[in-house]
Amino acid sequence: MDFALTDDQERMRDGIARLVEREIRPVLAANPRDRALPKAEMVKLFERIAEYGLLCPRLPEEAGGPGISMLDYGIMFEQIPPTVSMSMLSQDSCITRLNAECTEEQKARFLPDLVAGHKLACTGSTEPDTGSDPRGIKTRLTRKGDKAVLNGRKMWITNVSACDLILVTCIDEGRSKDGRPVIIKVVVERDKSPFEAREIDAIGLNQGYLGEAVFDNCEVPAENIVEADSGTRVLNRSWYVNRCMVGLQAVHLAERAYLAALDYGRVRKQFGKPIAAHQLVQKNFSDMVTAITASRMLCYRALWMMDAGEEAGGASAMAKRFAQMNCTEAVWQAMNVLGAMGLSREAGLEEMYRDIRMLPIPDGTNEILALIHGREITGFEAFRGAAGG
């Protein structure tokens, strides 16, 4: 059992950290903190990030992927500010699903610009009435010769307001299997099939993109329908990785908040000495470091399990839930160390706290994740009352 990073992993981590300080943070600082980045700015960042293979880390090497492990991906991903890395994760997830389910002709059309970061992508699954149970979707695709017509509404989509392409999960109208509707996917290219996209105002990650899409008789070329369906298997494995990455976003924010609090605690004096010398403040620092370290290790372990070919559903659910809850508390403790300054926009911790509050929802709420982990522990399916396999 070796907890040390390899020399290559350290080089990858440090290379991304330098990229963040030189090219990503200056862009974030130069734009309003309460509004989404201009699309042109995000595309520039994506094109640089693509040089490291981080827009398509799950793509096989023979398909143009970087040939890195999921653990290596997580080590580098952790360094990137979540307002950018959340958009990266949306791009990566879309690329992964397109590669798994599209024909070779479709891959040749869609993937190159996404892998290179020239275009932005996302997936549309969640609807106003449907989240964790995808069988409740209502968006419908009606085939009409060489075209198809899409009607419905998707919500809580990262990248949708700026995307060039969205992979939409929908009902294939007129088809059924065993008496149930057939769920299918279709690629909607915005320049060929315009649709309405709206930004959703949210508590945090305000420089990223979060929105909804409305498809009102949206005509899509029939050649964009994704006929193959690897279904639950691809979706589940995608979620496993995503959950670890969201957990590492929490680690990123908690680490930044902790370091800001530590710097402040060493210089701010009360009762004749730095506040970092007081017992309860030192306990706060100990709690923060414990939360950050444990969260990082749980996420790394789940990613290592995936690389080793082990089942990681429960491990990834546990990692994300633990990291999000405990790192949120760590950011809150860092704000408390700064006292009144912790509430100020100048210090920046209030922004980190708002950002980290965005993380419980993507790729499974804490409650759903607890049930996923519980199913693995007990062998019983809590969602529908059935015994596990």
Side-chain angles (χ1 to χ4, degrees), residues 13 89 137 140 176 198 225:
R13 178 199 62 196
L89 196 57
I137 64 172
R140 277 169 160 68
S176 63
R198 309 164 183 156
I225 298 173

Side-chain angles (χ1 to χ4, degrees), residues 15 55 65 69 95 97 106 185 210 216 226 286 324 327 360 374:
L55 295 184
S69 69
I95 289 172
R97 299 187 70 178
Q106 289 172 327
K185 301 178 191 70
L210 179 68
D216 185 8
V226 181
S286 175
Q324 180 273 313
C327 287

Side-chain angles (χ1 to χ4, degrees), residues 131-132 242-244 246-248 250 295 298-299 313-329 353 355-375 377 382-383:
S132 298
N242 290 2
R243 286 165 184 157
C244 295
V246 176
L248 290 171
S295 298
L298 281 174
C299 293
S316 62
M318 176 172 58
K320 186 213 166 190
R321 189 166 72 100
F322 183 93
Q324 180 273 313
M325 291 192 299
N326 287 275
C327 287
T328 296
E329 177 63 22
Y353 189 73
D355 286 350
I356 206 168
R357 288 300 306 153
M358 293 289 289
L359 303 185
I361 308 303
D363 297 288
T365 64
N366 288 338
E367 293 75 15
I368 287 292
L369 296 179
L371 295 182
I372 290 170
H373 192 204
R375 176 180 59 195
I377 294 169
F383 300 108

Side-chain angles (χ1 to χ4, degrees), residues 237 240 243-244 301-303 305-306 309-318 376:
R237 290 192 64 81
Y240 296 168
R243 286 165 184 157
C244 295
R301 173 180 173 269
L303 292 169
M305 289 173 67
M306 294 174 216
E310 297 185 23
E311 170 58 41
S316 62
M318 176 172 58
E376 184 174 287

Side-chain angles (χ1 to χ4, degrees), residues 88-247:
M88 291 168 48
L89 196 57
S90 178
Q91 185 98 347
D92 167 32
S93 297
C94 186
I95 289 172
T96 300
R97 299 187 70 178
L98 289 173
N99 183 68
E101 298 182 313
C102 283
T103 64
E104 293 304 316
E105 182 274 333
Q106 289 172 327
K107 292 178 191 179
R109 280 196 290 129
F110 301 140
L111 290 181
D113 281 342
L114 302 184
V115 169
H118 301 325
K119 291 184 177 181
L120 304 187
C122 58
T123 57
S125 300
T126 301
E127 298 184 358
D129 297 328
T130 303
S132 298
D133 184 3
R135 292 186 293 184
I137 64 172
K138 298 174 182 175
T139 299
R140 277 169 160 68
L141 185 78
T142 305
R143 299 175 189 245
K144 294 186 175 180
D146 63 351
K147 292 188 179 296
V149 179
L150 188 65
N151 281 285
R153 184 180 173 197
K154 298 293 183 177
M155 294 191 71
W156 311 116
I157 312 168
T158 300
N159 286 356
V160 70
S161 58
C163 78
D164 298 286
L165 176 156
I166 178 172
L167 180 63
V168 180
T169 303
C170 51
I171 298 295
D172 195 356
E173 190 71 48
R175 293 180 63 200
S176 63
K177 183 177 180 181
D178 300 327
R180 292 185 298 183
V182 173
I183 296 176
I184 200 168
K185 301 178 191 70
V186 62
V187 177
V188 182
E189 299 169 277
R190 200 167 193 166
D191 58 346
K192 298 175 182 176
S193 306
F195 60 90
E196 183 181 2
R198 309 164 183 156
E199 275 288 313
I200 296 175
D201 290 332
I203 188 174
L205 299 180
N206 296 135
Q207 288 184 298
Y209 312 111
L210 179 68
E212 60 179 322
V214 179
F215 304 98
D216 185 8
N217 290 321
C218 178
E219 288 194 348
V220 183
E223 63 186 8
N224 283 19
I225 298 173
V226 181
E227 300 286 2
D229 183 14
S230 52
T232 304
R233 181 180 58 82
V234 170
L235 188 59
N236 282 347
R237 290 192 64 81
S238 178
W239 277 337
Y240 296 168
V241 176
N242 290 2
R243 286 165 184 157
C244 295
M245 298 305 155
V246 176

